[in-house]
Amino acid sequence: MPRTTLPPLLLPALARQGPEPLQRQLYHALRAAILQRRLPEGGRLPSSRALAAQLGISRNTVLAAYGQLQAEGYVDSRPASGLTVAALEAGVAAAGEGAALRGERRCSRRAAALVTDAEAETAAALPLSPRGIDAALFPAREWSRLLARRWRRPGPALLDGNDPAGFAPLRRAIAEHLGRSRGVRCAADQVVVVSGSQQALDLAVRLLLDPGDQAWIEDPGYGGLKAALRAAGAVPLPVPVDGQGFDPRAAERAQPGARVAFITPSHQFPTGATMPVERRLALIEWAARSGGWIVEDDYDSDFRYNGPPLAALQGLDPNGRTLYCGTFSKSMFAGLRLGWLVAPPDLLAPVLALRAAADGAPPLLGQAAMADFMAEGLLQAHLRRLRAAYGERRAALLAAATRHLAGLAEISAGEAGTHILAWLPEGRDDQALARAARAKGLGPVPLSRYRLRPGRPGLILGYAAHPPAVLEAAAAALASVLRA
């Protein structure tokens, strides 16, 4: 006969006003008693009526808990015997209850290296942080209208689309935009929509490099690229940048074994240098001669303040050995998680296979709204407003930094982007100074965070997210940190 009641020590304490339903509480309590062997194998459970009466709860509540235990294999139902505790192997029971098991808890060396190299995030809301945007400048009403319009009549393409290359109208819009504004030579079917430039770089790394292969990277340079290389088991070869950015001839002399060059030629991150045409052509010649590849990251060239954006290196390459990537994170907002990778036609099939293996296909609603945003001319209008606002903020921060940081730092700024650099005297600890600035409510980022080899210290100062008056006060506050 089934047990008529549970022993008092096994009675669960049910919280009738708690956030979890009574049936879930009872299920968890009985499951724990089974896994801990307090309810032994083969032991009979009380009938649903008896347990309901003992606990003062509804019989349906008990039936629901019993049903869940039976569905998951913790109890068996036998004719004329009621419910009995199922046989569980000792190791299974121990694992289910979180007991310590033998065996090393180890991740891969590549994953461990990523944790070691992880960059501390700087709060985007803090003045002088190079992250973030000013939400007041974003055309939220227009964006909301486009989203709502798409969602009213989504259609099969939006609900069922699973093309790893992305939403076809957006790919066409990106190809047209890049051809018009950057001189990129591509057809729409060469554009792969990705979740920001980080995914584009990760795809390029896994496409072009096997474990152990070497790649040139700029030093200092984007930390996310170093993470992608190390995650793939590739070997980054740091190439020091100068006032003209990446030097391919110096790279080949010093480290000739590279298979890929990762560069930011239009606005080197984070120094702001621009690679001249002589170096661009030299890099294209290296790729053709050596069978190497170039990955061009054009992350923020929408924001150039003296003249139009520079033409992309990709448009100069007659051999089709350049992959070109970019993002809408700066021109729209980072949470949109949309970017692109332009690949040569003969690499499209493996690129799409890698993309499909990573996350199937990109979400479509944001892509559809972005395609409409571009088709209606709203992106160009938005970029004009941003360039005007950012140009004013850039001038304000340059003036304030030059005035307040005189004798403390050397200020430099490229012709594009959303940040400037404060170069510090040799021997100063830029990471300690960044922490001290953070304690004062400021968000500069230490330049050394982006280096693989030691070099001159500095602080990266962003201006996009705050108006001139805030930047003026921030520069004065930073001066007090540097003097301390």
Side-chain angles (χ1 to χ4, degrees):
M1 299 214 20
R3 187 195 298 271
T4 56
T5 59
L6 285 177
L9 290 177
L10 294 181
L11 285 176
L14 303 181
R16 297 178 185 275
Q17 303 301 320
E20 190 175 40
L22 289 176
Q23 66 192 53
R24 294 295 297 175
Q25 296 181 51
L26 180 57
Y27 156 77
H28 285 304
L30 293 175
R31 187 185 69 169
I34 292 170
L35 291 172
Q36 295 166 4
R37 306 291 186 175
R38 291 183 285 119
L39 284 175
E41 176 186 330
R44 295 179 178 178
L45 297 182
S47 69
S48 57
R49 292 183 187 278
L51 186 56
Q54 187 178 14
L55 295 174
I57 59 178
S58 163
R59 183 189 176 205
N60 286 338
T61 299
V62 178
L63 286 172
Y66 278 179
Q68 187 69 26
L69 291 169
Q70 186 175 358
E72 295 179 5
Y74 291 105
V75 298
D76 295 325
S77 177
R78 298 174 183 172
S81 298
L83 293 178
T84 60
V85 176
L88 298 177
E89 295 181 8
V92 173
E97 194 52 31
L101 299 178
R102 294 182 180 179
E104 184 181 4
R105 297 171 62 84
R106 185 181 69 84
C107 65
S108 70
R109 288 189 296 273
R110 283 179 286 176
L114 292 181
V115 174
T116 302
D117 290 345
E119 298 177 357
E121 289 290 343
T122 299
L126 294 180
L128 303 184
S129 169
R131 298 176 60 243
I133 63 168
D134 185 345
L137 299 176
F138 182 71
R141 179 176 298 178
E142 294 297 328
W143 183 250
S144 177
R145 174 180 64 82
L146 296 175
L147 284 172
R149 186 175 70 189
R150 279 288 180 176
W151 205 233
R152 276 196 296 272
R153 293 188 181 90
L158 203 59
L159 296 176
D160 301 326
N162 60 356
D163 186 348
F167 190 57
L170 179 58
R171 295 165 68 197
R172 289 193 295 270
I174 290 173
E176 292 170 5
H177 172 69
L178 296 179
R180 182 176 59 252
S181 66
R182 302 288 196 285
V184 171
R185 297 188 299 179
C186 71
D189 60 5
Q190 291 177 248
V191 177
V192 179
V193 179
V194 295
S195 300
S197 59
Q198 181 64 35
Q199 187 177 51
L201 292 172
D202 181 71
L203 283 173
V205 166
R206 291 187 289 126
L207 173 73
L208 302 174
L209 295 166
D210 290 314
D213 283 349
Q214 298 178 329
W216 285 332
I217 67 170
E218 299 166 330
D219 191 25
Y222 175 52
L225 171 60
K226 291 179 282 186
L229 289 166
R230 286 172 172 158
V235 179
L237 301 177
V239 178
V241 299
D242 58 21
Q244 295 184 323
F246 181 89
D247 186 344
R249 294 189 178 90
E252 193 169 13
R253 286 194 302 268
Q255 304 185 95
R259 175 173 167 77
V260 184
F262 291 87
I263 57 167
T264 53
S266 295
H267 185 241
Q268 198 279 327
F269 182 84
T271 67
T274 298
M275 181 189 289
V277 67
E278 293 84 1
R279 289 190 179 184
R280 296 179 184 224
L281 295 175
L283 188 59
I284 291 170
E285 187 274 333
W286 163 82
R289 170 171 42 83
S290 67
W293 295 94
I294 303 165
V295 178
E296 178 179 7
D297 182 3
D298 196 11
Y299 65 99
D300 72 350
S301 291
D302 280 317
F303 306 113
R304 187 167 184 82
Y305 305 106
N306 292 314
L310 297 181
L313 181 148
Q314 188 266 7
L316 297 174
D317 183 1
N319 309 304
R321 303 198 68 86
T322 301
L323 288 78
Y324 178 88
C325 59
T327 179
F328 289 115
S329 293
K330 297 282 189 179
S331 56
M332 295 292 287
F333 55 97
L336 181 60
R337 306 308 308 146
L338 283 180
W340 59 85
L341 175 65
V342 176
D346 55 331
L347 293 183
L348 275 173
V351 166
L352 295 178
L354 286 168
R355 174 62 200 265
D359 62 354
L364 284 169
L365 181 59
Q367 291 187 71
M370 190 69 222
D372 295 341
F373 195 80
M374 299 176 77
E376 294 187 12
L378 296 173
L379 177 62
Q380 291 304 318
H382 179 49
L383 287 174
R384 286 193 293 272
R385 289 191 296 270
L386 288 183
R387 288 189 196 109
Y390 290 174
E392 180 186 15
R393 295 173 185 196
R394 176 178 180 270
L397 182 56
L398 278 172
T402 300
R403 184 168 61 256
H404 292 294
L405 304 183
L408 300 170
E410 177 186 338
I411 306 303
S412 70
E415 298 298 331
T418 57
H419 70 266
I420 66 174
L421 264 180
W423 295 95
L424 300 171
E426 294 288 353
R428 300 222 68 179
D429 185 342
D430 58 6
Q431 298 204 33
L433 290 169
R435 288 193 296 270
R438 181 70 178 267
K440 298 284 189 181
L442 306 175
V445 173
L447 181 61
S448 61
R449 179 181 295 172
Y450 299 103
R451 292 191 183 277
L452 279 178
R453 295 177 175 175
R456 184 176 176 183
L459 294 173
I460 304 169
L461 312 179
Y463 52 79
H466 294 92
V470 173
L471 297 172
E472 169 74 29
L478 181 60
S480 68
V481 172
L482 298 185
R483 290 193 189 96

